[in-house]
């Protein structure tokens, strides 16, 4: 059975039961459910989950407030969060991601998609020992080494500016992880490029051009930001 502990924060009983059932079915046998933000904050420290599924539409303290509290507490800040939301407003998704949430899933969702997202996030937050030690990542035709600042595409060197390298490395390090433009700006502060949210869009055009036929490795998430495609 799965070793990871998962905390489900969802006030709709039917959805909570559906998630719990499918997690158990897939081997996650250490699952705790709660129905309010206050319960979630208490459970996050006492239960110490490996991942939190957090509904944004909660009674009392809403999901965004819970996310903010979790990410500002050193005891819980490293716990990955997948937001569950029935809201269609892009602003809610962006705010949650800016606060540090790792992914989002709009309702209604397929249980299979939910399980896939959970596994993806858990893999991303636990990079391989080899990658962590060497600073090297390999994603399909792309290979990057942070230490030597080399980027190879189909075995051939890429010519990237400092900030282009940092941006591409950031995205490729966690495939499937959606980064908002603001997050990319905060992570990439190269002197060779005027790093603003608008400049990130321009920079992505340049990076995709340099990726050539592999430009689709970077996906635009409408109204939110960018992500590197899943392996």
């Amino acid at each position: 059975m799965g070793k990871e502990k998962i905390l489900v924060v969802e006030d709709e009983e039917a959805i909570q039961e559906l998630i719990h059932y499918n997690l158990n079915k897939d081997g996650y046998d250490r699952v705790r459910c709660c129905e309010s933000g206050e319960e979630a904050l208490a459970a996050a420290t006492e239960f110490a989950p490996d991942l939190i599924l957090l509904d944004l539409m909660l009674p009392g303290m809403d999901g965004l407030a819970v996310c903010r509290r979790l990410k500002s507490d050193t005891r819980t800040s490293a716990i990955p969060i997948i937001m569950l939301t029935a809201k269609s407003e892009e602003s809610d998704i962006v705010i949650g991601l800016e606060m540090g949430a790792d992914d989002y899933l709009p309702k209604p969702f397929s249980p299979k998609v939910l399980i896939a997202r959970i596994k993806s996030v858990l893999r991303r937050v636990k990079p391989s020992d080899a990658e962590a030690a060497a600073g090297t990542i390999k994603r399909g035709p792309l290979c990057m080494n942070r230490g030597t600042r080399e980027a190879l595409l189909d075995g051939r060197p890429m010519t990237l500016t400092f900030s282009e390298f940092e941006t591409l490395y950031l995205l490729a390090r966690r495939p499937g992880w959606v980064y908002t433009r603001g997050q990319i700006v905060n992570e990439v502060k190269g002197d060779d490029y005027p790093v603003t949210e608008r400049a990130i869009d321009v920079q992505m055009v340049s990076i995709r051009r340099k990726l050539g036929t592999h430009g689709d490795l970077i996906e635009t998430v409408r109204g939110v930001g960018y992500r590197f495609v899943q392996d």
Side-chain angles (χ1 to χ4, degrees), residues 129-195:
D129 293 338
E131 285 189 354
T136 300
I137 55 175
K138 188 171 189 334
R139 302 287 182 256
L142 179 68
C143 182
M144 303 183 74
N145 186 295
R146 190 87 179 270
T148 62
R149 306 204 65 79
E150 288 183 304
L152 302 177
L153 186 67
D154 289 328
R156 298 174 181 173
M158 294 182 69
T159 302
L160 300 170
T161 66
F162 176 88
S163 55
E164 285 174 348
F165 183 97
E166 289 296 308
T167 299
L168 185 56
Y169 188 90
L170 174 71
L171 297 176
R173 188 175 58 188
R174 291 174 173 170
W177 191 304
V178 180
Y179 286 90
T180 67
R181 292 167 178 80
Q183 286 174 316
I184 296 173
V185 169
N186 291 337
E187 292 283 345
V188 182
K189 299 179 180 179
D191 295 333
D192 64 325
Y193 203 87
V195 185

Side-chain angles (χ1 to χ4, degrees), residues 5-8 20 23-24 28-33 47:
K5 294 187 289 184
I6 297 178
L7 177 64
V8 179
H20 192 282
L23 286 173
N24 282 172
Y28 295 99
D29 60 338
R30 298 199 290 174
V31 179
R32 180 176 294 189
C33 298
F47 182 53

Side-chain angles (χ1 to χ4, degrees), residues 117-129:
R117 292 289 185 90
I118 289 172
K119 291 180 177 179
S120 176
V121 169
L122 289 173
R123 282 197 305 268
R124 292 199 305 257
V125 298
K126 295 179 181 179
S128 69
D129 293 338

Side-chain angles (χ1 to χ4, degrees), residues 10-12 55-59 62-63 84-87 107:
E10 170 60 65
D11 66 313
E12 293 187 45
D55 182 25
L56 292 189
M57 298 286 285
L58 295 171
D62 66 21
L84 306 177
T85 176
K87 290 186 175 183
K107 299 177 183 177

Side-chain angles (χ1 to χ4, degrees), residues 58-229:
L58 295 171
M61 181 185 295
D62 66 21
L64 289 177
V66 174
C67 183
R68 184 184 295 110
R69 290 275 295 275
L70 290 171
K71 291 302 178 180
S72 64
D73 189 329
T74 55
R75 297 171 297 174
T76 57
S77 60
I79 302 173
I81 296 173
I82 297 178
M83 300 179 293
L84 306 177
T85 176
K87 290 186 175 183
S88 58
E89 291 88 348
E90 295 169 346
S91 58
D92 292 303
I93 297 171
V94 172
I95 291 170
L97 293 171
E98 292 283 11
M99 286 179 183
D102 300 271
D103 204 348
Y104 66 94
L105 195 58
K107 299 177 183 177
F109 50 80
S110 157
K112 288 185 178 180
V113 172
L114 174 65
I115 296 297
R117 292 289 185 90
I118 289 172
K119 291 180 177 179
S120 176
V121 169
L122 289 173
R123 282 197 305 268
R124 292 199 305 257
V125 298
K126 295 179 181 179
S128 69
D129 293 338
E131 285 189 354
T136 300
I137 55 175
K138 188 171 189 334
R139 302 287 182 256
L142 179 68
C143 182
M144 303 183 74
N145 186 295
R146 190 87 179 270
T148 62
R149 306 204 65 79
E150 288 183 304
L152 302 177
L153 186 67
D154 289 328
R156 298 174 181 173
M158 294 182 69
T159 302
L160 300 170
T161 66
F162 176 88
S163 55
E164 285 174 348
F165 183 97
E166 289 296 308
T167 299
L168 185 56
Y169 188 90
L170 174 71
L171 297 176
R173 188 175 58 188
R174 291 174 173 170
W177 191 304
V178 180
Y179 286 90
T180 67
R181 292 167 178 80
Q183 286 174 316
I184 296 173
V185 169
N186 291 337
E187 292 283 345
V188 182
K189 299 179 180 179
D191 295 333
D192 64 325
Y193 203 87
V195 185
T196 63
E197 291 198 9
R198 171 57 185 153
I200 293 299
D201 293 331
V202 176
Q203 191 173 70
M204 288 300 175
V205 172
S206 176
I207 293 173
R208 281 175 169 146
R209 185 176 65 250
K210 293 180 179 182
L211 287 170
T213 57
H214 300 298
D216 57 358
L217 286 172
I218 297 177
E219 294 181 338
T220 300
V221 181
R222 184 177 177 276
V224 182
Y226 297 93
R227 66 182 166 204
F228 200 90
V229 298

